[in-house]
Amino acid sequence: MFRRDVKPLDGLLLQFLRANGLETPLLQRRLIASWPEVVGENVAKYTGNIFISNQTLMVKINNAALKAELSMMRTQLTEKLNAYVGARLIYDIRIY
């Protein structure tokens, strides 16, 4: 009788994503989608365009007072967003 090399599906899927260069874009998409959950719905309704460029999260905020407040919380928001996806994807947040 022979033994089969059985591997868990999650490990195979992760290996496939890494081999094809899809892991980082998938995590970036998850991080962007988590913005309303991390900052809350009240802040999210003032959020315009949001994207990642050179490991910096770029966020358009339509309220000047909120923009100033979030600028002071950049470090905490960066940590919370990275913790949410379980990887160090962004190193800074630029609020414009």
Side-chain angles (χ1 to χ4, degrees):
M1 213 147 155
F2 64 93
R3 242 181 205 209
R4 294 184 184 190
D5 187 22
V6 179
K7 295 180 182 178
L9 185 59
D10 62 342
L12 292 174
L13 185 58
L14 184 60
Q15 183 181 3
F16 173 79
L17 290 173
R18 283 184 179 161
N20 292 304
L22 299 173
E23 181 183 26
T24 301
L26 181 65
L27 289 174
Q28 288 177 345
R29 192 78 179 128
R30 190 178 300 157
L31 186 132
I32 290 170
S34 70
W35 174 259
E37 191 170 326
V38 171
V39 297
E41 290 299 323
N42 290 332
V43 174
K45 68 182 178 183
Y46 291 105
T47 302
N49 196 13
I50 181 169
F51 61 95
I52 297 175
S53 176
N54 296 327
Q55 296 179 327
T56 301
L57 183 67
M58 310 293 277
V59 181
K60 171 84 171 145
I61 300 292
N62 301 322
N63 184 318
L66 185 59
K67 190 184 300 187
E69 186 176 340
L70 290 176
S71 292
M72 290 186 286
M73 298 174 55
R74 285 188 351 231
T75 305
Q76 294 91 350
L77 288 172
T78 302
E79 291 172 4
K80 285 182 181 181
L81 288 165
N82 283 327
Y84 189 87
V85 295
R88 185 110 172 118
L89 289 178
I90 59 171
Y91 290 95
D92 195 14
I93 298 176
R94 181 167 174 245
I95 299 170
Y96 63 98

